[in-house]
Amino acid sequence: MEFARLAEAFEKLEAKTSRLEMTADLAELLNGAPESQIGKIIYLLQGVIAPPHRGIELGVAEKLCIDALATVTGQTERAIEASYRKTGDLGGTARLLLEERKQRSLGASQLSVAKVHDNFYRIATASGQGSQTAKTRLLAELLSNASPIEAKAITRFVTGRLRLGVGEATIIDSLSYAKAGDKSLSKELERAFNLSSDLGLVAETLYREGMHAIRAFKPTPFNPIRPALAERLPSAAEIIGKLGTCLAEGKYDGLRLQVHKSGDRVEIYSRRQEKITHMFPDVVAAARRQIKAKDAIFEGEAISYDEETGRFQAFQETIKRKRKHGIGAKQKEIPLYLFAFDLMYADGKDYTTVAFAERRAALKALVSGKGLIELSKAVAVKTPAELDAFFEECVNAGLEGVMAKDLKAPYVAGSRKFAWIKLKKSYAEGLADTLDVVVVGYYYGKGKRTEFGLGGLLTAVRAEQRFKTIAKIGTGFSEAQLQELRDYLTKLKVPKKPDNVDSLLEPHAWVKPELVVEVKADELTQSEMHTAAKTGGRGLALRFPRLMRIRYDKSAKEATTEKEARGLYESQKTH
Ligand code: ATP
């Protein structure tokens, strides 16, 4: 397919705000494309060149783009920079420059989706000496054959500024519309996506093989599965009331890992489907040794254990491994355990559809010998008293609480269900649960904090595509966290309030709403200062909010919603 058609579709989509219209436009675009191009089109619409878990990132610096534009248009870099400063959009500048050029260069050829995708891929994977020159050349090749609109799309894409506003759900709906004329296939398509985290693959399967192949979708090693998530209830009595006899497991406060194995190859994915294998060489070795299956996908919570004190260490210690360097040293300092708690796939068998009791038995049979992979601590409980006793035991052992699991439930990827119910120690202290809020701005701080350039955070909950403020957080920070936050947030700083943020407060600096932090508070109150769940001029606010930790493992899309905050506010009245 010609790239021009995609660039035109980008233009149209950018101007649309109605999801329904977007869906219809996308369905038409997909139906007009050859089967072999569908996957690539989907990735380009998502602003990526491969599913995110492959970790193939374009990340072309603006400077490189300006170099390429200079080569193609014959303008000086300074002139291009000056025009960019005026528009604030390098894509817009590229379009203007190419319009001024009047004619395409001699010998220019029509760009195809495949050619553009291929050059993007080569730019992303070029490395080593001379790679900058190679990247500039590959980009210049595209730009010299591009029309003004195509140049705008290409420039925005490579600099990561292509914000079409088409989310995963819109793409799924448009695939359903393309094939059925309505949303009737969306649920099944979504399931396939949840099992593979690869919309390009889902779309291509749909176009090549049809719905029967979508229905037969199974987990496959190295396509991360979107995790099943837990609901919460405030007491053992309510949990037993909901589940009856269930399996209670220790709730480890660590890092959730999804381990994929096929033969000797092992990869590890985070809760957000990022490939994080490099952080866990010890888990990789243990998976090769302890997992008695050629192919397997299972999940567990990784947590460090302090041999001296005989206690598990806080999440912060475990996450220190996030640092790319010094992994060897860290490994010795804090030995890690992986407490396996679920099995999704083994040697051709899809376990996501079978009852948890069977999954747990298969997991037990799969993990063999002594090593850092162990099964999570678990007991079957029938009564609230038994659950409470197990809860006590877990908390005394330094765990965060318990997870009660429905023995009959399947593993429903990517959804929050009462198949798993968490009961945390923190429920007894203050507000029923912590909130995961998104940082939308920060304050420079007073006194000692001025030296860090950060003294507090303005945070928000999520409401569809918007962020509404719920708390100003000024306590709970360690010095290290202040520095870490300052470094991270400086990179996210934007000159004015982002359009998708609703705030009556004006922090010293606004940031792109991306970073999630976990906060604890005494209670939720109503306040005229905040915009979350606003009714009668008053929004919800956290009383005495304090920072617990930075949640790099959660995206803003997974932050606490306005609805959940309202639910917590309501439940305060009853508990
Ligand atoms: P969520 O993952 O539900 O969005 P969260 O990341 O804030 O929430 P919690 O609310 O504390 O975490 O609880 C869910 C998490 O608990 C799981 O995602 C998993 O990482 C962790 N966990 C620890 N032990 C277990 C266990 N035995 N079974 C399942 N999950 C466990």
Side-chain angles (χ1 to χ4, degrees):
M1 191 168 86
E2 288 160 9
F3 182 66
R5 286 195 55 188
L6 198 59
E8 275 155 26
F10 285 178
E11 290 280 308
K12 262 170 96 181
L13 286 167
E14 204 190 320
K16 293 238 154 94
T17 47
S18 144
R19 246 194 88 186
L20 209 66
E21 284 179 30
M22 276 189 186
T23 312
D25 282 0
L26 279 177
E28 196 187 312
L29 175 78
L30 293 169
N31 277 343
E35 261 167 41
S36 61
Q37 303 293 297
I38 294 281
K40 292 188 177 115
I41 292 173
I42 297 283
Y43 297 137
L44 295 178
L45 281 165
Q46 289 184 287
V48 295
I49 39 182
H53 57 260
R54 299 261 166 81
I56 303 172
E57 274 170 38
L58 257 174
V60 166
E62 282 171 356
K63 172 81 181 64
L64 194 147
C65 228
I66 292 172
D67 281 356
L69 280 168
T71 315
V72 172
T73 59
Q75 299 262 11
T76 65
E77 281 162 35
R78 281 186 60 183
I80 298 173
E81 273 162 16
S83 152
Y84 172 33
R85 267 198 300 278
K86 250 188 258 153
T87 57
D89 165 22
L90 200 52
T93 294
R95 180 177 176 168
L96 281 176
L97 288 172
L98 266 82
E99 271 164 1
E100 282 164 15
R101 201 175 52 160
K102 292 193 186 74
Q103 267 180 330
R104 273 196 197 194
S105 50
L106 225 55
S109 58
Q110 193 69 258
L111 285 173
S112 67
V113 167
K115 171 69 188 165
V116 173
H117 184 272
D118 186 48
N119 275 31
F120 283 174
Y121 188 86
R122 285 166 40 188
I123 291 172
T125 50
S127 67
Q129 234 194 357
S131 62
Q132 292 305 309
T133 324
K135 286 180 185 201
T136 315
R137 192 179 45 70
L138 287 160
L139 185 57
E141 186 197 354
L142 292 180
L143 291 171
S144 68
N145 290 306
S147 70
I149 284 182
E150 289 174 312
K152 176 177 158 193
I154 291 168
T155 307
R156 282 200 178 167
F157 195 101
V158 296
T159 52
R161 305 263 158 173
L162 186 78
R163 301 232 164 77
L164 299 176
V166 280
E168 285 150 2
T170 310
I171 295 180
I172 289 174
D173 282 347
S174 65
L175 286 168
S176 175
Y177 267 93
K179 289 290 173 190
D182 57 24
K183 282 203 222 170
S184 59
L185 307 176
S186 296
K187 271 238 135 16
E188 288 168 298
L189 289 163
E190 193 187 337
R191 176 187 159 271
F193 172 57
N194 284 336
L195 287 178
S196 62
S197 306
D198 187 344
L199 270 182
L201 175 72
V202 171
E204 221 165 282
T205 308
L206 175 70
Y207 274 82
R208 283 186 199 277
E209 299 169 58
M211 276 310 283
H212 75 275
I214 295 291
R215 289 185 189 114
F217 233 80
K218 309 200 270 202
T220 10
F222 316 120
N223 276 336
I225 299 171
R226 295 166 84 82
L229 299 171
E231 281 287 356
R232 62 167 90 87
L233 282 174
S235 69
E238 277 163 90
I239 293 178
I240 296 294
K242 184 107 193 161
L243 299 179
T245 297
C246 56
L247 193 78
E249 293 185 29
K251 184 172 188 309
Y252 303 85
D253 186 12
L255 201 62
R256 185 171 185 163
L257 304 187
Q258 196 173 94
V259 183
H260 288 230
K261 173 183 181 295
S262 179
D264 255 359
R265 179 173 171 207
V266 175
E267 301 285 1
I268 298 171
Y269 301 93
S270 72
R271 193 181 169 290
R272 290 169 67 174
Q273 298 86 48
E274 301 139 317
K275 199 197 279 187
I276 49 170
T277 317
H278 65 276
M279 285 165 52
F280 299 99
D282 40 358
V283 176
V284 170
R288 287 193 188 121
R289 206 166 42 77
Q290 285 186 265
I291 301 300
K292 295 285 159 251
K294 184 182 158 288
D295 296 345
I297 304 176
F298 69 98
E299 263 181 346
E301 190 85 356
I303 187 164
S304 29
Y305 182 73
D306 189 337
E307 307 281 354
E308 269 171 37
T309 61
R311 287 184 75 82
F312 292 107
Q313 288 197 325
F315 181 82
Q316 273 88 344
E317 290 302 314
T318 308
I319 209 141
K320 278 193 186 154
R321 293 212 171 202
K322 276 224 162 227
R323 283 198 264 134
K324 280 196 179 170
H325 304 293
I327 284 166
K330 267 272 129 14
Q331 205 174 313
K332 277 194 209 86
E333 222 173 279
I334 29 178
L336 195 88
Y337 283 87
L338 179 66
F339 290 96
F341 58 72
D342 220 319
L343 175 68
M344 290 87 114
Y345 179 81
D347 287 339
K349 176 158 174 153
D350 175 3
Y351 278 95
T352 61
T353 56
V354 311
F356 176 57
E358 191 187 327
R359 297 205 303 279
R360 175 91 193 179
L363 181 66
K364 196 166 169 204
L366 196 79
V367 180
S368 79
K370 277 234 156 305
L372 68 79
I373 307 178
E374 282 185 22
L375 250 57
S376 60
K377 185 179 163 75
V379 297
V381 292
K382 279 202 236 26
T383 63
E386 282 172 9
L387 183 53
D388 269 333
F390 183 65
F391 178 80
E392 282 291 307
E393 190 187 317
C394 288
V395 169
N396 289 337
L399 303 187
E400 204 191 358
V402 295
M403 273 283 196
K405 298 188 176 174
D406 183 347
L407 289 159
K408 296 181 286 305
Y411 184 99
V412 186
S415 73
R416 197 178 288 285
K417 297 238 159 178
F418 279 98
W420 292 5
I421 307 177
K422 52 194 172 194
L423 182 63
K424 291 199 216 178
K425 159 173 94 194
S426 60
Y427 296 176
E429 310 154 357
L431 195 62
D433 204 351
T434 55
L435 281 87
D436 293 321
V437 290
V438 181
V439 181
V440 295
Y442 62 89
Y443 297 86
Y444 296 140
K446 300 193 192 97
K448 195 169 159 23
R449 296 262 176 103
T450 43
E451 80 189 61
F452 295 112
L454 188 135
L457 304 174
L458 180 62
T459 62
V461 287
R462 179 171 65 86
E464 298 285 328
Q465 309 282 345
R466 307 198 62 74
F467 295 94
K468 304 189 178 180
T469 70
I470 191 158
K472 244 172 94 169
I473 311 171
T475 47
F477 304 89
S478 66
E479 287 196 1
Q481 275 173 330
L482 280 173
Q483 279 170 5
E484 204 177 321
L485 282 165
R486 183 211 42 212
D487 292 348
Y488 202 94
L489 292 173
T490 326
K491 287 192 216 120
L492 295 181
K493 204 167 150 180
V494 285
K496 60 180 190 54
K497 183 172 79 61
D499 291 342
N500 57 351
V501 171
D502 293 338
S503 176
L504 301 170
L505 295 165
E506 183 79 23
H508 294 139
W510 293 104
V511 295
K512 275 191 244 164
E514 284 179 12
L515 183 69
V516 177
V517 294
E518 186 172 342
V519 278
K520 193 161 170 48
D522 280 4
E523 61 175 333
L524 273 158
T525 55
Q526 287 192 307
S527 156
E528 284 169 10
M529 311 271 280
H530 288 290
T531 52
K534 206 164 183 175
T535 43
R538 292 198 300 171
L540 289 180
L542 294 176
R543 200 167 121 84
F544 298 130
R546 44 220 182 256
L547 181 85
M548 303 296 287
R549 59 200 187 189
I550 309 170
R551 294 296 304 257
Y552 296 114
D553 63 326
K554 280 204 165 181
S555 70
K557 274 195 262 174
E558 296 171 291
T560 302
T561 61
E562 180 178 44
K563 201 167 145 215
E564 285 166 337
R566 195 179 291 127
L568 277 173
Y569 178 68
E570 296 297 328
S571 75
Q572 279 178 176
K573 298 184 196 155
T574 48
H575 291 112

